[in-house]
Amino acid sequence: MDYFRYVDNELWCEDVPVTKIAGDVGTPFYLYSCRTIERHFNVFDQAFADVPHMICFSSKSNSNIAILKVLIRQGGGVDIVSGGELYRALQAGVDPHKVVYSGVGKREDEIKFAIEKEILMFNVESSQEIEVINACAGQVGKKARIALRVNPDVDPMTHPHISTGLKENKFGIDINRSLDEYRRAQQLDNIDIIGVDCHIGSQITEISPFLDALDRLKKLIDLLREENINISYLDLGGGLGITYDEETPPHPTEYATALIKRAGNIDCTFILEPGRVIIGNAGILVSQVLYTKDSDGKNFIVVDAGMNDLIRPSLYESYHQVQPVIQNESPVITADVVGPICESGDFIAKKRSMPQLKRGDLLAVMSAGAYGFTMASNYNSRPRVAEVLIQDDRYYVIRKRETYEDIIRGEEIPEFLKEKE
Ligand code: LLP
């Protein structure tokens, strides 16, 4: 359920017409609905109300500090994967005790930063990493709380690039080796074991893979407790899918109810790391038609947003609905919606039924709130776009459009290339 709707054939977000913002801030821009974000968070949070739990929003899906603040104000924590994401979360005012840190390649400086800030826990992804965290904690002079991210070897039945819980994926520690790793970690002076973690993939549209993973983690928790290894947190990661096209993912309530039931009296605080399900359908990318052309019967709509702004279609062949901001009744054509980047792989949508469009018409690329801006780049030296947040009848630019100066910031001309006076 989101707050994007048509009023008299014109797309509005909450109580603001999208054309109004386009007129003021120019295109392209990401547009987020605050009411939708809050609603999604609260529905998800409420779904776990019967058990002790913590919802740590996965900031890789959208890390704008205003967005993080919206969620933190609702009581959320943050799931991070880098020092940069920790920095952002802290800037947004997160309680460090609600931060969990996953990732296969944590650097020592990042680990120390997180220990200094006393985050809730590291989700450790290899036996070498346990050693490194132990050493870093010794240097910082504080204990590091950890869970092991186990790889439960379940098939999340999603796109191979976003599947993470199979043996062949690089993530986590093989569940069959994890007991030994826990035993070793238990011996280390600066490590405090507090939990078990997994994250099996993203855009998962069935409940069964989550339940399979939970079953395996439960068995592990029993074994650990038999050895007096203290487990008080069960982190099940993120991954719940959303509707981009015709997918029918479980509702968060259905997902939570099934997990809680299957967990039984596990006596752990649940941690969930949702990203997409909170922010995906709370954001759109608004773009403008630059040109229309046809070549040998094939129609192209060239827009001013490209794969550098939204890479999902190019990278995963992901589907995003593309809708005119102002609907018209003109005859429908089949067209590819493409960007200005010098690559054939630069497309937003292929073979779509679209009304006749003309230069300057606005298009909304729907469901673009997750992994949209966070995966944007400056490829082709294109300034990254603005981000706008709507709350009721007001809008706020939460990230300015980059300027040409911004895109060369940090570059330097070496002495030998400088003009002689
Ligand atoms: N926790 C961990 C450890 C993760 O790696 C991820 C996502 C999440 C939580 C959040 O998952 P979500 O609830 O959003 O599914 N760029 C891809 C998605 C990559 C997901 C990476 N990990 C895309 O655009 O579809």
Side-chain angles (χ1 to χ4, degrees):
M1 169 48 215
D2 61 59
Y3 292 92
F4 294 94
R5 72 209 150 101
Y6 281 90
V7 180
D8 295 334
N9 291 327
E10 188 179 343
L11 185 64
W12 286 49
C13 173
E14 300 194 11
D15 304 327
V16 185
V18 171
T19 43
K20 156 92 180 118
I21 306 163
D24 293 353
V25 306
T27 58
F29 62 96
Y30 278 95
L31 179 62
Y32 309 109
S33 153
C34 189
R35 226 190 270 168
T36 309
I37 301 169
E38 289 174 351
R39 185 191 161 95
H40 288 175
F41 179 86
N42 289 322
V43 165
F44 199 96
D45 190 38
Q46 277 302 308
F48 286 91
D50 288 345
V51 291
H53 69 278
M54 195 184 285
I55 310 297
C56 296
F57 173 65
S58 191
S59 55
K60 60 181 76 64
S61 65
N62 191 312
S63 60
N64 185 294
I65 51 181
I67 302 287
L68 297 182
K69 227 178 169 78
V70 169
L71 293 161
I72 290 165
R73 280 204 329 176
Q74 301 298 307
V78 180
D79 156 50
I80 61 167
V81 72
S82 69
E85 285 189 352
L86 175 56
Y87 181 77
R88 285 179 170 281
L90 294 170
Q91 290 290 313
V94 75
D95 173 355
H97 280 88
K98 290 187 181 172
V99 174
V100 293
Y101 185 177
S102 307
V104 287
K106 305 180 187 81
R107 286 197 318 252
E108 288 181 29
D109 61 307
E110 295 176 305
I111 293 171
K112 285 183 196 159
F113 179 31
I115 297 172
E116 272 156 13
K117 296 296 172 193
E118 301 185 5
I119 65 162
L120 177 67
M121 69 183 188
F122 291 89
N123 291 330
V124 182
E125 306 223 11
S126 65
S127 59
Q128 281 181 7
E129 189 192 325
I130 308 176
E131 305 283 345
V132 173
I133 293 179
N134 182 52
C136 289
Q139 286 163 28
V140 172
K142 287 182 177 169
K143 281 209 166 194
R145 287 176 291 272
I146 67 154
L148 294 196
R149 174 172 176 179
V150 299
N151 184 329
D153 195 26
V154 298
D155 185 354
M157 299 181 280
T158 184
H159 190 287
H161 288 180
I162 52 176
S163 144
T164 49
L166 277 169
K167 257 195 175 134
E168 67 207 47
N169 302 131
K170 68 178 176 180
F171 298 96
I173 294 173
D174 181 347
I175 192 153
N176 301 316
R177 279 187 37 207
S178 58
L179 185 56
D180 279 344
E181 296 294 351
Y182 268 105
R183 287 179 183 138
R184 279 185 347 103
Q186 179 83 328
Q187 305 306 315
L188 301 174
D189 288 344
N190 309 312
I191 295 286
D192 230 347
I193 298 170
I194 62 167
V196 172
D197 164 61
C198 75
H199 167 79
I200 55 172
S202 199
Q203 185 52 15
I204 299 171
T205 52
E206 307 281 335
I207 291 185
S208 57
F210 292 110
L211 295 179
D212 290 349
L214 174 57
D215 286 343
R216 291 177 199 182
L217 264 57
K218 257 177 76 173
K219 279 197 194 122
L220 174 62
I221 292 175
D222 287 343
L223 294 173
L224 293 168
R225 286 181 172 157
E226 275 169 25
E227 303 199 11
N228 291 323
I229 297 177
N230 167 45
I231 299 297
S232 28
Y233 292 92
L234 169 60
D235 183 342
L236 291 172
L240 188 58
I242 62 170
T243 304
Y244 286 99
D245 184 11
E246 289 179 340
E247 304 89 336
T248 50
H251 187 274
T253 312
E254 208 184 319
Y255 160 81
T257 309
L259 287 177
I260 294 168
K261 184 163 171 233
R262 189 67 76 97
N265 50 0
I266 198 157
D267 193 23
C268 279
T269 296
F270 279 70
I271 297 179
L272 289 307
E273 304 171 355
R276 192 188 313 266
V277 71
I278 306 290
I279 193 73
N281 281 326
I284 65 174
L285 172 64
V286 181
S287 180
Q288 185 178 156
V289 175
L290 294 177
Y291 302 100
T292 58
K293 62 177 191 175
D294 68 300
S295 97
D296 215 6
K298 188 162 167 101
N299 297 305
F300 292 99
I301 299 167
V302 184
V303 297
D304 63 357
M307 65 190 282
N308 72 301
D309 303 308
L310 179 69
I311 202 174
R312 304 193 69 256
S314 308
L315 199 55
Y316 317 114
E317 296 191 338
S318 308
Y319 181 96
H320 287 265
Q321 270 181 42
V322 180
Q323 300 172 182
V325 168
I326 297 187
Q327 289 174 322
N328 69 49
E329 301 290 314
S330 65
V332 165
I333 57 163
T334 300
D336 286 5
V337 180
V338 300
I341 301 262
C342 301
E343 303 231 10
S344 301
D346 177 29
F347 64 91
I348 302 282
K350 284 193 166 164
K351 294 198 184 119
R352 294 296 172 82
S353 296
M354 302 290 289
Q356 303 269 348
L357 294 165
K358 56 181 188 319
R359 272 170 62 70
D361 283 348
L362 296 176
L363 287 179
V365 184
M366 307 306 287
S367 314
Y371 308 105
F373 191 93
T374 48
M375 294 178 80
S377 76
N378 290 118
Y379 187 39
N380 280 197
S381 283
R382 287 166 48 82
R384 285 180 305 167
V385 306
E387 292 180 283
V388 177
L389 178 67
I390 296 214
Q391 193 200 30
D392 301 333
D393 57 358
R394 298 200 55 182
Y395 76 84
Y396 304 85
V397 175
I398 55 172
R399 174 192 271 268
K400 286 191 196 128
R401 184 179 309 286
E402 286 180 343
T403 62
Y404 292 149
E405 290 76 40
D406 289 331
I407 54 179
I408 62 164
R409 178 160 303 130
E411 294 182 33
E412 284 187 32
I413 307 292
E415 215 41 54
F416 78 95
L417 288 177
K418 287 188 180 153
E419 307 287 325
K420 295 249 168 25
E421 309 251 312

